Amino acid sequence: MRKEHRMSAIIDRLEIERDKGFSFEGVNPSVVIEELLPHIGAPNPYLRDTLVYSALATLTTKKALTKEDYRKLLRIYLSENYLFYNITSGHVKPALKRSFTLLQLCVLLDVEKNRHVFTQEDLKRLFDSLLDYYGQEKIWMGYHQDYGWVHTIAHSADLFKGLFSLNAFSASKMHSDLEAIRGRFIQGEHAFSHGEDQRSAKALIEGVHSGSISPSSLAAFVEGFERVRTLETVHDGVFPESTVVRRANAAHLLEALFVGLPDKPAYKAYAATIKRLIHSF
């Protein structure tokens, strides 16, 4: 009961602050952020999604934090206590903390675009950490009946989008990210059904618009989906479920990418290849 009472008190306090625009007047914002961080992945979806996320995002973007405050937050978020929290456990609850850390990293990138608070080394570490996390994360569900939105893949896509918008990374790093995204969508274990394809396509399209993803990189990414057919097996004329899942995931991502590609001559050939691949699935 003591824990439930404590959670109720936190919710009550944040509801009062929400009604005031999360202004937290007269309080050091760094202290409030520190108090909220342990609840970033709270199992209660109302506390986590509506209150803690919004409060942290508002404090991070609208309060007068120093560059060192932002760099400290980045270090915290990229640590084993947040982005990599219990990542090998295979349980959903720790994934909530990892997933909603991704969203706060997106908030930090919004700050970076407006105030340039991070060094190139900071951004490189964020880029590398996201790629490392994306490869290790094994909880791929979009929604849980008790915890609400989990969305590890969708939130990863949001962070990819923010990083791609910076156009600040080498072609080899971009290649690694594109390989990772395609690899996630040609696995045959989990069917994505909660907008992961659309969010990932938006990240790719942002990369195209910003120049982070070159035409040749996009071509290689798209053509790599040809591998889906080489991964297929047939037993007595019937595809196994993994093949059905793989085809559906790949087709949905490519469909979302096709819709969002710029209507320019440079992309016509890629659009034709995407269309052919979709029909082949």
Side-chain angles (χ1 to χ4, degrees), residues 138-152:
K138 299 304 179 189
I139 303 298
W140 298 338
M141 68 176 64
Y143 191 83
H144 188 280
Q145 62 179 2
D146 297 322
Y147 305 135
W149 294 112
V150 182
H151 253 172
T152 55

Side-chain angles (χ1 to χ4, degrees), residues 7-264:
M7 286 297 103
S8 179
I10 292 169
I11 289 172
D12 289 344
R13 179 192 177 194
L14 289 177
E15 285 179 333
I16 292 170
E17 290 295 340
R18 179 193 58 192
D19 294 341
K20 297 187 292 184
F22 292 116
S23 61
F24 293 97
E25 293 178 6
V27 182
N28 185 328
S30 295
V31 172
V32 181
I33 289 172
E34 203 167 301
E35 291 174 352
L36 292 176
L37 284 177
H39 308 290
I40 199 171
N44 180 321
Y46 173 63
L47 173 60
R48 181 187 68 241
D49 300 7
T50 304
L51 298 176
V52 173
Y53 166 76
S54 300
L56 279 173
T58 302
L59 285 163
T60 302
T61 56
K62 294 187 177 180
K63 290 294 184 178
L65 301 179
T66 66
K67 283 190 177 183
E68 186 49 43
D69 288 332
Y70 288 119
R71 297 187 72 198
K72 179 182 177 181
L73 268 179
L74 181 66
R75 291 192 295 270
I76 289 171
Y77 288 149
L78 297 184
S79 72
E80 291 185 356
N81 292 323
Y82 285 85
L83 186 59
F84 295 93
Y85 178 66
N86 281 0
I87 199 164
T88 60
S89 71
H91 300 305
V92 177
K93 283 179 72 173
L96 296 170
K97 191 172 189 179
R98 300 192 297 269
S99 184
F100 283 81
T101 294
L102 289 165
L103 287 188
Q104 292 303 326
L105 286 166
C106 291
V107 173
L108 287 183
L109 276 187
D110 287 339
V111 173
E112 168 63 16
K113 290 172 192 174
N114 294 316
R115 305 185 204 172
H116 305 294
V117 296
F118 297 120
T119 66
Q120 187 60 33
E121 190 60 32
D122 291 332
L123 295 174
K124 178 180 177 294
R125 184 182 175 210
L126 172 54
F127 191 102
D128 292 342
S129 296
L130 174 58
L131 190 59
D132 187 13
Y133 161 79
Y134 197 72
Q136 291 190 55
E137 182 62 80
K138 299 304 179 189
I139 303 298
W140 298 338
M141 68 176 64
Y143 191 83
H144 188 280
Q145 62 179 2
D146 297 322
Y147 305 135
W149 294 112
V150 182
H151 253 172
T152 55
I153 301 304
H155 292 169
S156 294
D158 295 342
L159 188 52
F160 277 125
K161 181 182 176 184
L163 286 167
F164 291 173
S165 73
L166 298 178
N167 192 12
F169 305 100
S170 67
S172 61
K173 282 190 173 296
M174 293 302 301
H175 175 76
S176 297
D177 275 10
L178 296 178
E179 288 279 304
I181 292 171
R182 186 176 60 232
R184 185 62 71 243
F185 278 84
I186 63 173
Q187 51 76 29
E189 302 169 44
H190 180 83
F192 295 118
S193 59
H194 291 89
E196 294 89 349
D197 50 353
Q198 295 175 2
R199 304 268 274 273
S200 297
K202 285 180 179 179
L204 297 168
I205 293 161
E206 180 64 38
V208 169
H209 282 299
S210 71
S212 290
I213 299 177
S214 66
S216 60
S217 294
L218 180 65
F221 173 79
V222 170
E223 290 163 3
F225 281 93
E226 297 276 10
R227 282 203 319 129
V228 171
R229 304 192 70 80
T230 69
L231 297 171
E232 294 175 352
T233 55
V234 181
H235 302 289
D236 298 325
V238 178
F239 286 118
E241 184 178 2
S242 61
T243 295
V244 177
V245 167
R246 188 176 289 119
R247 282 187 169 198
N249 285 338
H252 292 159
L253 176 61
L254 289 173
E255 285 169 357
L257 180 59
F258 178 82
V259 170
L261 271 180
D263 186 19
K264 296 180 180 178

